[in-house]
Amino acid sequence: MAENKYHPIDINNWDRRDLYDHFSRLKLPHFAVAAYIDVTRLLEYKRHEGLSFYLSLIYLTTKVLNGIDNFRLRIIDGQVVSFDTIHTNFTHKRPEEEVFRFHTAPFEGTLRQYVETTSRAIASQTTLFGGMSDISNVVYCSCTPNLDATALINPGMEDPDDAIPRVNWGKYVERDGRWMINITFTANHRFIDGYHVGLFFERLQAAINEL
C-alpha cells in the first residue's frame, strides 16, 4: 500500500514564512532551472542490469526528492502540509504509437523492484491514465527522447497552490566522451528555492555515480 500520510506545517513558526507570504502574492510563483547531468554510469548500469533507463532515472529522481524536505510540501485544503513520501507520475508510450499515456506508480522497493514492477504495470495499460488514483504527493516526470532539449515549459501551471515539482529531460547526448542529459526542473517558489534545486542536481548526480 502506497504511503500518503502527511502532517500540517505551523505557518506561524515556519522559518520560511516571509518567503512563503512574499511569493504567495504572485499569480505565477513557479520558476524553472535547466542543467546537464552526467548519466554515463546510469547507462552502464542499465545495460549491465537490463533495466529501463527511463524508469531508473525516474526512481533515482524521486529517491533524491524524498530526501529533501521542501520537495514533500503541498497545499491541502488551504493548509501547508508535509507528506511522508512522494510517488512517481510520468508519461510513457509504446514504440509503435504516437500518443502517450500517464501513469502513477508507488515509490516502493529497490531500484530493480520499482523498475520491474512498474514496467509490467505500464505494459498492460490501455487507458490514458493508469496506476494509482489522482494524488498530489507525486513528482511529474516526462521525457522528449528524440530531442536534446535544453529547456522545457510545462502546461497547466496557472494554479499558485500547485506545489508538484516537474522534472523533464530530453535524450542523452555524448559530450567529450561522456553521456549527458539536460534536465529542466520546475518548482513553486513558495516552497522551493534555487538552493533546493541545486541540492537536487548535486544529489542526483551523486546517486547516479554510486550505482
Side-chain angles (χ1 to χ4, degrees):
M1 180 67 68
E3 181 65 72
N4 294 310
K5 295 180 181 178
Y6 61 81
H7 61 271
I9 297 295
D10 181 1
I11 293 290
N12 294 324
N13 294 299
W14 193 21
D15 61 354
R16 68 176 294 115
R17 167 66 186 270
D18 291 342
L19 282 171
Y20 176 82
D21 288 344
H22 171 72
F23 288 109
S24 293
R25 301 186 189 102
L26 303 182
K27 292 181 179 179
L28 184 64
H30 302 90
F31 71 101
V33 176
Y36 277 99
I37 286 286
D38 186 336
V39 293
T40 305
R41 178 58 190 144
L42 180 55
L43 282 168
E44 294 170 350
Y45 182 87
K46 167 250 183 187
R47 290 163 183 158
H48 183 267
E49 299 294 328
L51 299 176
S52 161
F53 173 88
Y54 182 48
L55 293 179
S56 295
L57 186 52
I58 289 172
Y59 178 91
L60 293 175
T61 292
T62 311
K63 181 179 181 180
V64 169
L65 293 179
N66 270 298
I68 303 172
D69 293 345
N70 291 62
F71 292 120
R72 290 184 278 104
L73 297 174
R74 301 290 187 272
I75 295 179
I76 303 295
D77 297 327
Q79 168 73 56
V80 178
V81 303
S82 175
F83 277 93
D84 292 347
T85 306
I86 58 174
H87 302 288
T88 63
N89 176 286
F90 56 90
T91 59
H92 69 97
K93 77 177 192 68
R94 298 181 177 89
E96 70 277 9
E97 296 179 333
E98 292 187 6
V99 297
F100 65 87
R101 296 178 172 87
F102 300 91
H103 191 88
T104 304
F107 179 73
E108 296 175 336
T110 64
L111 190 157
R112 173 174 288 280
Q113 290 168 338
Y114 171 85
V115 171
E116 291 180 345
T117 300
T118 306
S119 293
R120 290 192 294 269
I122 64 177
S124 61
Q125 182 179 338
T126 58
T127 54
L128 178 60
F129 297 96
M132 300 165 64
S133 59
D134 187 29
I135 54 176
S136 60
N137 56 318
V138 292
V139 52
Y140 290 154
C141 295
S142 66
C143 176
T144 54
N146 300 318
L147 179 66
D148 177 20
T150 55
L152 292 160
I153 297 175
N154 289 271
M157 301 291 292
E158 67 275 2
D159 182 1
D161 285 350
D162 184 346
I164 298 175
R166 272 75 164 170
V167 185
N168 312 90
W169 55 84
K171 68 177 182 179
Y172 46 81
V173 293
E174 190 174 7
R175 297 276 192 275
D176 299 322
R178 307 294 295 179
W179 290 97
M180 311 294 291
I181 202 166
N182 193 287
I183 292 179
T184 300
F185 196 107
T186 305
N188 191 320
H189 222 330
R190 295 167 77 183
F191 307 98
I192 298 166
D193 305 322
Y195 166 76
H196 306 105
V197 177
L199 279 181
F200 163 76
F201 278 98
E202 178 183 306
R203 294 183 183 181
L204 178 60
Q205 187 65 73
I208 291 173
N209 294 345
E210 291 168 3
L211 287 173

